[in-house]
Amino acid sequence: MGVGTFLLVKGANNLFPTFLPSTYFPQRLQSCMGSYTDMALAVTVYLALADSLMTEFFFRGFSFFNLSHLADKQFSHLFCAMIYALFTAIRTFGILSAPLWIAWTVLSFGISLLFTHLYLRTKTIYHSCMIHLGFNLAVYMTALEHLGL
């Protein structure tokens, strides 16, 4: 699942090269890495892995799991998706153009619904972690390509 997601996002970026912002996002990534540009690939893999594991654990493994025991599952499903979309919107504010930022926020709401559905069907966060990891790796690798690393 993660490999398929990685290939899908990388393929889409090759077909539509303006999908990911090629100016501000790579510069921001480079400023975050600072003097670690010689270890760019290792830092990128670490960021992608840590981000996907932490967000999936928090939003599916902790928030949804606990909230679904206190409230209706549909409410829990929608509430966690809204919080995830808000989390994504805050993290990407100023990185993306306004129309792309709105589309990204709406898309993250839908993706969160999908991830929660996967969690409900499989009773594990493994699948959503792998998809999230594949997506993050594709986005970060594309940013590194724009930086020439």
Side-chain angles (χ1 to χ4, degrees):
M1 286 184 163
V3 173
T5 304
F6 176 83
L7 294 173
L8 180 70
V9 172
K10 287 297 285 174
N13 190 58
N14 289 337
L15 288 174
F16 308 103
T18 58
F19 178 70
L20 291 173
S22 59
T23 54
Y24 184 72
F25 181 67
Q27 291 170 356
R28 181 143 184 222
L29 182 65
Q30 188 174 29
S31 71
C32 290
M33 290 191 323
S35 62
Y36 296 104
T37 54
D38 56 331
M39 298 175 20
L41 183 60
V43 171
T44 299
V45 170
Y46 171 75
L47 287 173
L49 184 62
D51 179 56
S52 62
L53 289 175
M54 287 188 298
T55 55
E56 292 308 312
F57 174 77
F58 179 75
F59 287 104
R60 252 63 63 197
F62 179 73
S63 298
F64 177 76
F65 177 78
N66 288 321
L67 190 58
S68 66
H69 285 79
L70 299 172
D72 180 48
K73 284 212 190 297
Q74 288 179 334
F75 171 78
S76 304
H77 204 131
L78 291 172
F79 183 77
C80 287
M82 284 189 296
I83 297 300
Y84 181 77
L86 180 63
F87 173 72
T88 303
I90 291 169
R91 288 176 44 187
T92 57
F93 184 75
I95 296 174
L96 306 173
S97 64
L100 187 57
W101 180 74
I102 292 168
W104 196 260
T105 303
V106 171
L107 182 64
S108 68
F109 177 80
I111 289 171
S112 182
L113 291 174
L114 173 70
F115 286 169
T116 305
H117 179 72
L118 281 172
Y119 172 75
L120 285 171
R121 289 189 53 115
T122 62
K123 305 292 187 235
T124 180
I125 62 171
Y126 172 77
H127 302 291
S128 58
C129 281
M130 291 300 104
I131 293 170
H132 204 149
L133 176 61
F135 182 82
N136 284 352
L137 280 174
V139 170
Y140 292 149
M141 298 296 265
T142 301
L144 288 178
E145 289 171 9
H146 287 295
L147 286 172
L149 298 174

